[in-house]
Amino acid sequence: MALVGREVERARVQRLLSDARGERSGALGLRGPAGIGKSVLLDHAVSIAETEGMRVVRGTGVESDSELAYGGLHQLLFPHLDRLEALPAPQARALRCAFGMAEGDEVNRFLISAGTLSLLADLAEDAPLLCVVDDLQWLDQGSLEALLFAARRFVADPIAMLFAVRETTVPFEVAGVEVVDLSGLAAPDAGRLLDDHAPALVEPVRARVLTESGGNPLAIIELGSSRQAAKDVDASDPAEQVGPLPVTRRVQEAFRHQIVRLPEPAQRALLVAAADLAAPLTTILHVIESLGGAAGDLAPAEGDRLVWIDSRVTFRHPLVRAAAYQDAPLHRRIEVHRAYAEALRADADADRRAWHLAAATTAPDETVAAELEAVAERAWHRGGAMAMSAAYDRAGRLSADRELKARRIARASQAAFDAGKADRAARLAAEALSLTTDPGIRAAAIYTRGAVEYERTSPRADAELTLEAAALVCDTDPERAALTLYEAAHAARHGAAHDLLRRAAELMHGFTPPEHWASVVAALLGWAELFAGRPELAVGPMRDLHAAIRAGDDLTHRITAGFGGLMIADEDRVIAGTEDMLAEVRANGALGWVPYILNVLAVARLFRGEFADARACVAEGASVGDELENPTESLAHRSIEVWLHAVSGDEARCRALAGEVLPRARARHRVNAEIAAWGLGMLDLSARRFAEALDTLEEVSQGPASRDLLVRAVPDLVEAAVRAGLPDRAHAALAEFRHWAKCVDRPVAAGLVLRCQALLADDGDADALYAEALRLHERHGGPYERARTQLVYGEWLRRRRRRTEARAHLAGAVSAFERLGARLWAERARGELAVFGERGDEPQHSGPLTLLTPQELQVVRLAATGHTNKEIAAQLFLSPRTVGHHLYKAYPKLGVTGRAELTDLV
């Protein structure tokens, strides 16, 4: 089809290609109904790219392959698999397993996505690259995820990615990619296109075609050609004026009329080709002959330009294929699929053969169901979660035994959740529950429903369901019970649902966990004791788990140790262990764990006063949470971001983000929502709005998460109460804080208690308390807590006219706050010096690391430890060029000229 009109769209495509040649990556989606001209625009882009020396990789989604794991990606990348050796080894191995080139354990789908990114980036090293995919809506889920993952992460690579997607009843989302919606051609362009293809149309018929086509180029061409060919059409016949019909259906009807005029053998041959678009010509001809036909049966269809034949059979348009397949009688379609199943080899083509068998089977058949179950397991080993779900689902439909059906559909549900299809997972889980009373199957289905509810509704909803699942298997399946209780406890804790945590504890007390789960279960019981106000019973098992954790242990165990360590002021050890865990999951491509691990690391960094690093954690955690469609974890990170804006003194951004985040976060992740509320109170405290700070911090310190991480807000509450002249409002919270601090026995906690006591003490005792608090915080508290202690000590000294000592502490606080980027705290300390008659130093720039974007900081830290661009790219799921781009942007901000100078600076 010639490209007529589309000036705006052509200009946008040209800009995409120009940007790529200028090493500015970009991605664009073209969306519209069948026949609107998407493929013609892709051809136009390819022609320009090849003329201008760009490399082109091209693929097309195939409807019959949409349930074959990574079939689309294999089609796109197959000519370039010789370059796998240039990729990081885990990524290369993952792609080989995904394409069936190697055997291995389950492959993480995100590692396949990272490998796709790296392979495309490597191809672009030779020449600017255009990656084109038509009919994106028919790609298998794994291939779609991998391509969109790469598209979102290219920044400074000479890569353009161009997708075409058909408009459907349910809008097909191309997440994170700009989409241009194509509408019908303007009237002059539509008329010109019609006259080019059907110049002999009389005016009434010409007007009718233009009206009915709605500007759809394919409809214009096909309706015009069919009307011109139908010499006996009477435009005044009322039958010619009935309508209108949807354009695509009308075009499909036009194709159907072409097909039914073909000889019967040609119609059958066309059905064979339509039943498996990915089949090579040799297989298609073999199936045609097995059904009594001959190789020449396709010739009439080729002569009518319905198909093109080379090594495969290519349909002129997807609607031709749809008409050839959908309008064939059911018995003919079954016959063709059965012939394909007989023609395909059970070893080399096992998956495709099983799907043809399934298409030829209309009643329960355990033999076929078992073959599909084998397909599902192979998809699992390749990391194809959605392909696994589809195969288990179809196997369930063909199962004669009700319990087998329930088990297979429950597995399909879990795989659908793993593929990010929450609605499908919930529907299949509900169906599995309706089919069986088996406790194990029901527990698996309820567990999946809980996981869906965590993301869709709240952690509390997840905890309620997983507790139900755990109760079913505590006596029969300790391994599943331990995993389910772990999920219930974590979800209850995230939602500050301590009543549900108590119920989880009751179940944990009532069963004997497997040996490797024993320390985790003991630590989770410690959580319940901590939230019940008994830290003396909680700290031991929580600390024991942290001491027992080793690199390579199960991530569920290590994440439990990480969260627990934060609750008992072990952030130094938490950071070390969590950084190792993060590096491990990055290397393994376990992207789904990244937001949870970064949540732990962000809070630990926050407690240590490492705010730039905390911001980097939060930025990535929120971004990955959005990408994985996990709103709960995304909100959890943005809640921490509210606190970080508060400590930086950015009041406008802090309050705007809090207004957006808090209403939703309180329903989804209550603990982190309370961190955001703490930030608002701390913002008022730094700005000397003591009464407002006291009200907010009192609410936080009496709220549902007050014995969780929010115990660390009590020192702010004490300071606000003292400065507001209402110290009694802090006494109860301080008493509990002191008990907690004594039990955790950490220097930073002891220093915080001493600072609180000093604020409340008489003059005779305060000096020694402040001095001891400062001594502890200088050695253990981190720069922020040290500066906070210097500030209140300096304020106390100033009021007692101890000029020299006060100035030293206040000047130290100003300097520290400035380096941390804590503007309002620095202004408060500088104001104290001014009141005392001293002129504080002029505001200084923040520390250089605070000038970097979160991603620049991540890259700089890894570069400073000696990692190459390629190694950094593998860790952060970026391309090496994008890493180099971030370093190039970071050097001037840091005042350095190369990576050799980063080590001392960082």
Side-chain angles (χ1 to χ4, degrees):
M1 186 192 300
L3 182 57
V4 175
R6 303 291 186 206
E7 285 78 10
V8 172
E9 292 85 354
R10 278 195 260 190
R12 180 65 189 88
V13 168
Q14 179 66 62
R15 188 164 73 251
L16 177 77
L17 299 179
S18 297
D19 286 347
R21 292 194 301 276
E23 298 191 358
R24 294 186 301 277
S25 307
L28 181 67
L30 304 174
R31 182 168 56 202
I36 203 66
K38 304 182 296 296
S39 298
V40 178
L41 273 168
L42 296 189
D43 291 340
H44 176 70
V46 169
S47 175
I48 293 174
E50 290 177 340
T51 300
E52 295 180 346
M54 296 179 72
R55 167 178 286 202
V56 177
V57 295
R58 188 167 189 176
T60 300
V62 178
E63 191 174 11
S64 61
D65 282 4
S66 61
E67 294 173 337
L68 297 175
Y70 297 105
L73 202 61
H74 186 269
Q75 175 202 149
L76 186 74
L77 300 179
F78 179 76
H80 311 290
L81 296 183
D82 59 320
R83 304 180 76 116
L84 288 181
E85 293 301 325
L87 273 57
Q91 296 178 13
R93 185 169 57 251
L95 284 176
R96 288 192 182 96
C97 291
F99 297 156
M101 299 164 59
E103 295 294 328
D105 296 331
E106 177 193 5
V107 177
N108 188 286
R109 60 194 174 107
F110 298 114
L111 204 54
I112 294 168
S113 297
T116 301
L117 180 151
S118 296
L119 183 52
L120 292 174
D122 187 65
L123 288 171
E125 289 295 316
D126 298 340
L129 176 71
L130 171 63
C131 176
V132 175
V133 181
D134 203 352
D135 283 325
L136 192 72
Q137 76 283 350
W138 285 336
L139 277 192
D140 60 277
Q141 182 68 22
S143 298
L144 176 66
E145 285 180 352
L147 288 171
L148 294 183
F149 180 95
R152 288 188 290 263
R153 281 171 167 73
F154 288 126
V155 174
D157 296 83
I159 295 177
M161 301 189 75
L162 186 59
F163 307 120
V165 58
R166 183 182 294 189
E167 185 180 78
T168 56
T169 304
V170 178
F172 188 91
E173 298 299 331
V174 188
V177 173
E178 179 191 352
V179 173
V180 173
D181 287 299
L182 301 184
S183 56
L185 293 175
D189 293 329
R192 182 155 56 93
L193 181 64
L194 178 59
D195 293 342
D196 287 345
H197 286 82
L201 283 181
V202 297
E203 182 49 41
V205 177
R206 181 179 183 277
R208 172 74 170 166
V209 168
L210 290 174
T211 299
E212 289 295 327
S213 67
N216 183 297
L218 181 65
I220 291 169
I221 293 169
E222 296 303 329
L223 295 179
S225 299
S226 65
R227 288 296 186 273
Q228 184 166 278
K231 303 293 187 182
D232 56 347
V233 167
D234 181 358
S236 65
D237 185 345
E240 279 297 303
Q241 300 173 27
V242 174
L245 294 174
V247 169
T248 51
R249 182 60 188 169
R250 187 177 283 273
V251 174
Q252 189 168 324
E253 277 294 300
F255 289 137
R256 188 182 71 80
H257 285 305
Q258 281 186 266
I259 292 169
V260 297
R261 289 198 297 266
L262 294 173
E264 177 64 27
Q267 292 185 43
R268 182 178 57 196
L270 207 57
L271 171 61
V272 171
D276 191 337
L277 199 58
L281 181 61
T282 52
T283 302
I284 291 173
L285 295 178
H286 177 83
V287 172
I288 290 171
E289 291 167 358
S290 74
L291 294 171
D297 290 349
L298 281 169
E302 187 178 28
D304 280 3
R305 296 185 303 112
L306 293 170
V307 294
W308 293 282
I309 301 174
D310 43 37
S311 61
R312 296 183 185 274
V313 176
T314 304
F315 283 84
R316 173 180 167 189
H317 191 275
L319 290 179
V320 178
R321 178 178 178 243
Y325 186 84
Q326 293 171 6
D327 291 324
L330 176 63
H331 73 278
R332 289 286 192 194
R333 298 202 300 267
I334 291 174
E335 179 182 62
V336 166
H337 285 298
R338 188 171 291 122
Y340 265 115
E342 291 171 358
L344 293 171
R345 292 167 52 199
D347 52 352
D349 302 296
D351 289 4
R352 195 176 294 279
R353 178 179 181 278
W355 279 113
H356 278 295
L357 278 174
T361 306
T362 58
D365 186 318
E366 181 54 34
T367 300
V368 179
E371 288 207 30
L372 282 170
E373 183 166 349
V375 170
E377 289 303 305
R378 285 191 290 272
W380 178 73
H381 285 292
R382 294 173 188 164
M386 195 59 212
M388 178 183 179
S389 177
Y392 262 123
D393 186 9
R394 184 66 176 135
R397 309 295 159 201
L398 295 176
S399 301
D401 180 80
R402 188 180 177 90
E403 294 299 319
L404 267 178
K405 179 177 183 178
R407 182 180 63 79
R408 286 164 172 161
I409 289 177
R411 293 292 302 276
S413 172
Q414 179 61 57
F417 179 79
D418 292 342
K421 299 297 182 183
D423 289 344
R424 174 184 172 89
R427 174 177 57 78
L428 291 171
E431 183 177 358
L433 288 169
S434 73
L435 291 169
T436 183
T437 58
D438 181 275
I441 299 174
R442 290 186 65 81
I446 293 169
Y447 184 90
T448 301
R449 285 182 60 201
V452 170
E453 289 306 308
Y454 184 96
E455 297 182 3
R456 178 185 285 170
T457 307
S458 69
R460 182 181 180 91
D462 179 13
E464 289 172 337
L465 285 165
T466 45
L467 283 172
E468 180 184 347
L472 289 170
V473 292
C474 274
D475 295 334
T476 58
D477 190 344
E479 184 73 32
R480 184 188 292 276
L483 177 62
T484 307
L485 286 169
Y486 152 85
E487 174 68 21
H490 276 263
R493 182 248 158 192
H494 292 335
H498 298 156
D499 57 326
L500 299 181
L501 188 57
R502 285 194 297 273
R503 282 172 51 190
E506 290 169 3
L507 288 171
M508 288 183 224
H509 280 301
F511 92 114
T512 302
E515 184 177 352
H516 64 283
W517 274 100
S519 59
V520 178
V521 169
L524 294 174
L525 287 169
W527 291 14
E529 296 289 359
L530 184 69
F531 301 149
R534 296 185 289 269
E536 67 277 8
L537 300 177
V539 172
M542 292 167 71
R543 192 157 285 156
D544 288 346
L545 175 63
H546 212 289
I549 288 296
R550 297 289 181 270
D553 284 351
D554 193 292
L555 290 174
T556 57
H557 300 190
R558 296 160 74 185
I559 203 82
T560 303
F563 278 120
L566 293 178
M567 297 177 213
I568 57 175
D570 272 352
E571 51 263 22
D572 290 350
R573 288 198 290 179
V574 167
I575 288 174
T578 307
E579 285 184 327
D580 289 344
M581 184 165 36
L582 185 61
E584 184 179 315
V585 299
R586 290 191 194 283
N588 294 336
L591 192 64
W593 279 99
V594 166
Y596 300 95
I597 296 170
L598 286 173
N599 190 344
V600 177
L601 191 55
V603 175
R605 296 287 194 194
L606 180 155
F607 285 163
R608 275 244 300 243
E610 298 167 357
F611 300 142
D613 293 283
R615 288 188 187 94
C617 293
V618 163
E620 185 182 4
S623 174
V624 174
D626 288 339
E627 183 164 28
L628 300 181
E629 298 182 351
N630 186 339
T632 300
E633 282 307 302
S634 180
L635 283 169
H637 282 279
R638 291 195 167 96
S639 298
I640 301 171
E641 187 180 357
V642 171
W643 196 100
L644 292 168
H645 285 320
V647 80
S648 71
D650 191 338
E651 184 153 7
R653 293 177 69 186
C654 177
R655 294 199 183 279
L657 185 61
E660 174 192 338
V661 163
L662 269 173
R664 293 181 294 144
R666 282 188 167 127
R668 285 188 175 272
H669 202 299
R670 189 59 187 265
V671 171
N672 282 30
E674 293 300 303
I675 291 176
W678 172 17
L680 292 174
M682 186 253 295
L683 178 69
D684 284 330
L685 182 60
S686 65
R688 302 180 64 87
R689 296 187 290 263
F690 300 125
E692 293 90 337
L694 176 57
D695 289 342
T696 301
L697 293 166
E698 188 174 46
E699 186 176 343
V700 167
S701 296
Q702 293 174 356
S706 60
R707 290 171 177 157
D708 201 303
L709 303 179
L710 279 300
V711 70
R712 299 289 283 268
V714 170
D716 285 349
L717 169 67
V718 171
E719 185 176 341
V722 170
R723 295 294 184 246
L726 297 167
D728 289 348
R729 288 173 61 176
H731 283 161
L734 179 57
E736 192 157 335
F737 182 76
R738 289 176 64 183
H739 181 47
W740 168 83
K742 179 181 179 182
C743 294
V744 302
D745 191 25
R746 305 300 297 170
V748 64
L752 291 171
V753 169
L754 289 166
R755 189 170 83 202
C756 291
Q757 290 176 322
L759 282 162
L760 291 163
D762 296 330
D763 283 357
D765 299 321
D767 199 1
L769 292 168
Y770 278 127
E772 180 60 14
L774 184 58
R775 185 188 69 80
L776 287 172
H777 284 160
E778 283 176 338
R779 296 179 60 188
H780 305 286
Y784 177 64
E785 294 299 352
R786 181 174 68 247
R788 290 285 303 275
T789 302
Q790 285 179 307
L791 172 60
V792 291
Y793 192 14
E795 289 173 335
W796 184 86
L797 290 166
R798 182 191 66 76
R799 287 174 177 81
R800 276 129 198 98
R801 302 287 179 177
R802 292 164 61 176
R803 179 189 188 103
T804 303
E805 295 168 279
R807 190 186 191 292
H809 289 305
L810 292 171
V814 169
S815 178
F817 287 139
E818 292 283 9
R819 285 196 303 273
L820 292 168
R823 182 178 57 82
L824 288 181
W825 285 112
E827 288 179 5
R828 179 172 152 185
R830 193 177 291 108
E832 287 290 320
L833 285 172
V835 168
F836 196 52
E838 296 285 340
R839 198 180 85 183
D841 295 336
E842 290 300 313
Q844 302 296 312
H845 289 298
S846 303
L849 295 182
T850 67
L851 303 176
L852 304 180
T853 68
Q855 191 138 87
E856 287 168 359
L857 178 60
Q858 286 181 303
V859 169
V860 163
R861 284 208 177 277
L862 289 169
T865 58
H867 288 82
T868 66
N869 285 10
K870 189 172 182 179
E871 291 168 341
I872 297 169
Q875 282 209 39
L876 299 182
F877 307 115
L878 302 172
S879 71
R881 278 181 183 258
T882 296
V883 170
H885 169 78
H886 287 308
L887 285 172
Y888 177 78
K889 300 279 283 185
Y891 290 159
K893 298 178 184 180
L894 298 174
V896 302
T897 58
R899 64 200 308 146
E901 300 172 66
L902 293 177
T903 303
D904 292 338
L905 181 65
V906 173

